[in-house]
């Protein structure tokens, strides 16, 4: 046989598979209607184990794992289809989301905004990119930003959530769980670190470098080669201010070029980052759920039950609808050994019926928190 003959054979088999798949899903629909009438749960774990055991025994040892994967996917799709049939009423969460989307309008240019750090910090730069006329309140710590927003001292807060080279800002993820705030916009900001020192200082003179921990991580290769002492500061702008007020000429700060102008410092070098492709993603949070025009991303946190395949089941809901999960971040659940909650960023619109169906399903899980629908700018 030629290759074309084999492909023709596959096309014929695929036609049969699709026909049988359609017949199977029609039967699943009837089962869903029966379960709705008799108030029976969708998941029947014992029944699914029986199916997997039976079908893997029919295919021979060589294909057992492939058959298990195929039927695990089929069972997941069947469950998702049943849940779609059973969840026909609009959930409370979806009503709140659609109401917020209807009343929020366009993203404001003028607002009172909380930032961590001080003038010259990257959070301030992110704020100025997001808002045309912000009134900025500065706080020393990330939790100060959350508290200010939650208490109503300001409408918005700006926080770094991840960096392209240093990874996630885990403290912010943990604080997202602690405070009841929502994400209303995000920004990807190019980070261009410089080494700043007093006028007259030379690069060869530097024995100590001060900066925020994230900046030190992002410039780790440069610092390792130099063999200098490193000191952690609450933010890079504070580090630059400290250097400017010091009498020493052997100390330098990692900060933005703007900090050099602000604090009268000299740029020793602008080649300190581990990579030229250094970006930090900032989120803008609010106390209330606000969903502005163009929102095309949703973020939520959910916990997968402590059983094999539970995370896969969660991921499969989005795969079945063709939705892209752009980020998945795990954080340990306090007080529970080796159990985790997962932060999801999903490219989806809350106006999509598929998105609404999934959110309605997730709302019924033991732990689920919707963190916002928003767009990202750069």
């Amino acid at each position: 046989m030629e290759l074309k003959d084999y492909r023709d054979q596959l096309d014929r088999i695929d036609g049969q598979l699709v026909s049988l798949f359609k017949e199977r899903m029609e039967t699943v629909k009837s089962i869903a209607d029966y379960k709705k009438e008799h108030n029976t749960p969708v998941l029947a774990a014992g029944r699914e184990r029986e199916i997997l055991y039976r079908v893997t025994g029919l295919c021979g040892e060589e294909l057992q794992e492939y058959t298990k994967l195929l039927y695990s996917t089929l069972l997941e799709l069947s469950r998702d289809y049943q849940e779609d049939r059973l969840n026909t009423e609009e959930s409370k969460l979806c009503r709140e989301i659609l109401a917020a989307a209807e009343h929020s309008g366009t993203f404001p240019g003028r607002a009172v905004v909380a930032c961590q750090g001080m003038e010259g910090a990257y959070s301030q730069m992110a704020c100025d990119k997001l808002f045309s006329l912000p009134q900025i309140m500065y706080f020393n710590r990330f939790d100060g930003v959350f508290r200010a927003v939650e208490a109503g001292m300001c409408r918005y807060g700006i926080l770094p959530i991840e960096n392209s080279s240093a990874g996630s800002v885990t403290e912010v993820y943990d604080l997202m769980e602690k405070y009841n705030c929502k994400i209303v916009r995000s920004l990807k900001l190019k980070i261009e670190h410089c080494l700043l020192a007093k006028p007259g200082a030379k690069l060869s003179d530097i024995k100590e470098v001060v900066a925020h921990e994230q900046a030190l991580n992002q410039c780790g290769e440069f610092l390792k080669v130099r063999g200098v002492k490193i000191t952690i500061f609450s933010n890079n702008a504070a580090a630059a201010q400290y250097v400017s007020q010091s009498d020493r000429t052997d100390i330098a700060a990692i900060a933005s070029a703007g900090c050099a102008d602000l604090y009268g410092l000299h740029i020793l070098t602008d080649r300190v980052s581990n990579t030229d492709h250094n970006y930090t993603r900032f989120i803008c949070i609010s106390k209330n759920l606000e969903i502005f025009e163009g929102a095309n991303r949703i973020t939520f946190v959910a916990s997968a039950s402590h059983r094999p395949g539970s995370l896969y089941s969660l991921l499969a809901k989005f795969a079945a609808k063709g939705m892209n999960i752009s980020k998945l971040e795990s954080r340990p659940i306090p007080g529970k050994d080796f159990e985790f909650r997962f932060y999801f960023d999903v490219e989806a619109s809350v106006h999509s019926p598929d998105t609404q169906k999934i959110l309605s399903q997730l709302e019924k899980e033991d732990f689920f928190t919707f963190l916002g629908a928003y767009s990202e700018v750069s």
Side-chain angles (χ1 to χ4, degrees), residues 196-214:
L196 311 181
K198 301 274 284 187
K202 298 178 182 178
L203 184 58
S204 58
D205 297 334
I206 303 304
K207 295 182 173 61
E208 181 179 1
V209 173
V210 296
H212 187 272
E213 185 177 10
Q214 281 279 323

Side-chain angles (χ1 to χ4, degrees), residues 25 59 62 92 111 119 134 138 150 158 160 207 217 253 269 285 293 309 311 321 344 357 363 376:
M25 294 302 275
C59 63
E62 183 180 355
K92 177 184 176 184
E119 196 71 22
Y138 290 108
E150 189 176 58
I158 303 292
K207 295 182 173 61
N217 291 336
T269 177
I285 62 169
E293 294 174 2
L311 179 58
K321 304 296 186 186
F344 288 80
K357 286 178 181 178
E363 191 180 9
E376 181 166 290

Side-chain angles (χ1 to χ4, degrees), residues 215-228:
L216 294 170
N217 291 336
Q218 293 162 25
C219 305
E221 294 176 12
F222 173 87
L223 297 172
K224 185 178 180 180
V225 170
R226 293 285 164 184
V228 294

Side-chain angles (χ1 to χ4, degrees), residues 12-286:
R12 176 181 56 80
I13 294 169
D14 286 341
Q16 295 172 351
L17 285 174
V18 170
S19 179
L20 289 170
F21 175 71
K22 183 178 179 182
E23 183 180 347
R24 192 183 198 283
M25 294 302 275
E26 287 294 331
T27 305
V28 166
K29 183 195 296 185
S30 299
I31 291 172
D33 294 340
Y34 177 91
K35 288 181 176 180
K36 184 174 184 179
E37 183 181 347
H38 293 83
N39 197 28
T40 305
V42 168
L43 178 62
R47 167 65 177 162
E48 292 191 1
R49 279 195 298 271
E50 290 175 7
I51 293 173
L52 289 174
Y53 184 81
R54 176 172 53 82
V55 297
T56 53
L58 296 173
C59 63
E61 187 175 346
E62 183 180 355
L63 295 177
Q64 277 187 5
E65 290 302 316
Y66 295 101
T67 305
K68 181 181 178 181
L69 178 59
L70 171 63
Y71 270 83
S72 294
T73 303
L74 275 175
L75 293 171
E76 188 64 48
L77 292 172
S78 298
R79 260 185 272 125
D80 189 69
Y81 194 34
Q82 288 184 56
E83 287 172 346
D84 279 354
R85 296 283 297 176
L86 295 173
N87 297 313
T88 54
E89 295 182 3
E90 188 177 72
S91 70
K92 177 184 176 184
L93 173 62
C94 287
R95 289 195 297 271
E96 292 174 353
I97 288 172
L98 293 176
E102 182 181 352
H103 294 104
S104 296
T106 57
F107 191 76
R110 180 187 180 95
V112 180
V113 187
C115 291
Q116 187 268 343
M118 55 193 297
E119 196 71 22
Y122 287 108
S123 290
Q124 174 250 307
M125 295 168 63
C127 183
D128 283 340
K129 280 187 171 290
L130 283 173
F131 298 93
S132 56
L133 289 169
Q135 180 182 336
I136 303 178
M137 303 172 62
Y138 290 108
F139 295 86
N140 291 329
R141 297 170 56 85
F142 292 142
D143 62 348
V145 175
F146 279 97
R147 287 201 304 269
V149 173
E150 189 176 58
M153 296 169 60
C154 53
R155 184 174 175 182
Y156 299 114
I158 303 292
L159 297 147
I161 194 75
E162 63 177 319
N163 177 264
S164 56
S165 59
S168 298
V169 185
T170 56
E171 183 184 353
V172 173
Y173 273 106
D174 292 338
L175 289 168
M176 288 290 291
E177 229 178 286
K178 181 178 179 181
Y179 293 92
N180 185 28
C181 294
K182 305 299 181 187
I183 303 172
V184 299
R185 185 142 294 196
S186 65
L187 168 76
K188 190 168 72 171
L189 180 71
K190 192 173 193 315
I191 303 298
E192 298 177 307
H193 289 309
C194 299
L195 190 68
L196 311 181
K198 301 274 284 187
K202 298 178 182 178
L203 184 58
S204 58
D205 297 334
I206 303 304
K207 295 182 173 61
E208 181 179 1
V209 173
V210 296
H212 187 272
E213 185 177 10
Q214 281 279 323
L216 294 170
N217 291 336
Q218 293 162 25
C219 305
E221 294 176 12
F222 173 87
L223 297 172
K224 185 178 180 180
V225 170
R226 293 285 164 184
V228 294
K229 176 185 176 182
I230 59 173
T231 302
I232 297 175
F233 266 62
S234 59
N235 64 81
N236 297 321
Q241 185 183 58
Y242 174 80
V243 170
S244 72
Q245 295 173 349
S246 172
D247 294 330
R248 295 169 56 187
T249 57
D250 64 347
I251 188 170
I254 295 174
S256 66
C259 283
D261 296 330
L262 277 172
Y263 300 110
L265 297 176
H266 172 63
I267 299 177
L268 296 177
T269 177
D270 59 1
R271 307 287 294 179
V272 292
S273 295
N274 296 339
T275 173
D276 290 335
H277 188 79
N278 188 16
Y279 289 86
T280 293
R281 184 172 168 234
F282 289 84
I283 55 172
C284 178
I285 62 169
S286 69

Side-chain angles (χ1 to χ4, degrees), residues 343-355:
Y343 285 82
F344 288 80
D345 287 350
V346 181
E347 294 174 4
S349 167
V350 293
H351 298 287
S352 163
D354 285 341
T355 305

